[in-house]
Amino acid sequence: MKKNIRITLEYDGSRYDGWQKQGNTDNTIQGKLENVLFRMAGEEIEVHGSGRTDAGVHARGQVANFHINAEICPDGESAREYLNRYLPDDIRVLSAKIVPERFHSRLSATSKTYGYYVETGDKKNVFERKYVYGCGKKLDVKAMRQAAEFLIGEHDFKSFCANRRMKKSTVRRIDEIRIVEHGTKLEFLYTGNGFLYNMVRILTGTLLEVGSGMRRPEKMKEIIAAKNRDMAGRTAPPEGLFLLHVGYEGERETV
């Protein structure tokens, strides 16, 4: 008999090629987890993640699940302890528990919250340099907040998707965008029911152009309507992006 184990984990994505296991590299978060689970179970264990974070992107609240023999792993704590014993220091399982058979970390998710961090000072904090984007100039926060208002709600976000050949629906719902000032550092918080490939980084890059005076806030309406990637701003670098929280029905948002 197999148990369905749900884990919540954090990782520093700086040296990894993203979440998803790939044929041309074994240096991925999913790959590292599956290697340890193979060692534990003696067989291939597929790990399903709630989202495929890109190369260089970090997570404080990634959620994943996998099925494993109950005799080898009788409870979530056994999985957490074993994984943390053999995973590299930049990946840590925060919690693990047995969940119903039908739970799937991605398909069962109802919301996700991402954070993007920008340093507007002339140089990044030495101890945060791998986790923020160094913009290096003062930004018009009020204008960016005005622009963000046009993004709230359900829209076709094709203009903010890096996959130009996307065949599936590009309609998503953004519930909230908050831009919080912490001295010279800005925190962009995005909560929605799902995000397209590079969507958060393109949204941030576009908002930064508004903050730099390159675009007017109301331009967001035209960008959405165009459904054309060329109309939106550049893709912000990966190091400032964190997956903070994944929401599921019946659970409280903690971000």
Side-chain angles (χ1 to χ4, degrees), residues 6-135:
R6 166 181 163 176
I7 61 173
T8 300
L9 64 153
E10 62 182 10
Y11 49 83
D12 177 344
S14 301
R15 69 183 184 94
Y16 293 102
D17 298 318
W19 165 269
Q20 188 177 15
K21 188 170 62 175
Q22 303 166 45
N24 62 343
T25 176
D26 60 358
N27 190 39
T28 65
I29 307 297
Q30 181 188 20
K32 296 297 182 185
L33 289 165
E34 290 183 359
N35 286 343
V36 175
L37 288 170
F38 178 81
R39 180 175 181 172
M40 181 182 190
E43 62 177 344
E44 298 285 346
I45 303 289
E46 184 177 6
V47 177
H48 304 280
S50 69
R52 299 171 180 175
T53 52
D54 299 330
V57 174
H58 319 289
R60 293 189 183 277
Q62 171 72 283
V63 175
N65 74 288
F66 55 87
H67 292 80
I68 191 168
N69 192 310
E71 292 181 3
I72 295 168
C73 183
D75 52 43
E77 189 60 20
S78 300
R80 188 190 69 82
E81 289 181 355
Y82 194 93
L83 284 164
N84 282 339
R85 188 181 310 145
Y86 294 107
L87 283 169
D89 290 341
D90 48 9
I91 305 174
R92 180 169 74 122
V93 176
L94 301 170
S95 64
K97 63 180 180 180
I98 296 171
V99 288
E101 174 67 22
R102 297 188 65 179
F103 174 86
H104 189 287
S105 58
R106 179 175 59 85
L107 300 178
S108 302
T110 57
S111 70
K112 290 179 184 175
T113 298
Y114 284 89
Y116 195 96
Y117 300 88
V118 176
E119 176 57 65
T120 64
D122 58 356
K123 189 167 184 176
K124 292 192 280 186
N125 180 304
V126 169
F127 302 105
E128 296 180 352
R129 67 190 186 282
K130 294 192 292 183
Y131 313 109
V132 297
Y133 164 55
C135 175

Side-chain angles (χ1 to χ4, degrees), residues 115-118 178-182 185-189 244:
Y116 195 96
Y117 300 88
V118 176
R178 285 188 286 153
I179 304 174
V180 185
E181 297 179 79
H182 302 281
K185 189 167 74 173
L186 296 178
E187 178 182 37
F188 294 74
L189 293 168
L244 297 178

